[in-house]
Amino acid sequence: MSAGTLFTLSGDNIYMNYFSKLGPIDPQFYVDGKWIPGLAYLEKFNQLNDKSEKGTLTPLEYGLALKLDVADIHQYEQAQEHSVELLEKWLSSYKFNTWDQTQNSQQRVTLPMKQDRAKEIALKLNDTKRWHSHSRGISMNTLQDEIGLLIRNFEEDPHLKAIVTRLHTLITDYMTETSEMSILVRLVNFNQSEDNHE
């Protein structure tokens, strides 16, 4: 979901409707056979670090802290900084490309202003305390009201709505068929292996 959000925010425009969702930007890491959210580890590390500085770390928390790998923590920090850096670059280069003046004060918008605004958006989408979960869907209204992103509702354009609906149906059908084919192939392979054992 976070990769999809990064791709979406690297476009010239964002098109959504009531049912569309983006997600938090939370880099995932494959550890011990499962995907884990890097920012969750950073958040917990920072909490333990704060408690350690205040002298309120419990023995259990101390034991947890000893198990944390500082190289992993560094890797998570680098991934977070990289995602913010990418958004800062892509938003200011594409989405904000034609943003020439501010909406309220009609002030001329400079490149540093675009970069600052892009970084602000990236940091808000990186806020684990706000979104709580990597798979949290963020609606069009929330992105507009809380993040301040300008989003075009494709429902307002009947021609565009028809195109998006057809494309969505095509992709959904393809994914369903591919999934069913994958299950069928696994069943066939399983049956063949059973026959070979017999």
Side-chain angles (χ1 to χ4, degrees), residues 12 21-22 29 35 41 48 50 61 69 80 84 86 88 95-96 99 110 115 119 124 144 149 159 171 181 193 197:
D12 293 330
K21 305 286 182 191
L22 294 183
F29 294 85
W35 290 99
Y41 272 74
L48 293 174
D50 289 342
E61 291 169 332
D69 189 325
Q80 179 185 30
V84 171
L86 285 176
E88 186 179 341
K95 178 83 172 74
F96 297 163
W99 182 30
T110 63
Q115 292 169 334
K119 186 172 184 178
K124 284 183 178 180
Q144 290 174 319
L149 274 170
H159 177 66
I171 292 171
M181 285 299 294
S193 65
H197 285 304

Side-chain angles (χ1 to χ4, degrees), residues 124-171:
K124 284 183 178 180
L125 290 172
N126 255 278
D127 187 359
T128 55
K129 290 181 180 176
R130 169 62 185 91
W131 310 116
H132 305 296
S133 169
H134 174 76
S135 58
R136 168 81 176 266
I138 307 175
S139 69
M140 176 176 66
N141 290 339
T142 301
L143 290 164
Q144 290 174 319
D145 298 341
E146 286 193 34
I147 309 296
L149 274 170
L150 179 63
I151 298 170
R152 300 185 182 185
N153 187 345
F154 65 79
E155 295 276 349
E156 297 170 358
D157 182 338
H159 177 66
L160 182 59
K161 178 184 176 182
I163 293 172
V164 172
T165 302
R166 285 201 303 270
L167 182 60
H168 182 266
T169 302
L170 175 68
I171 292 171

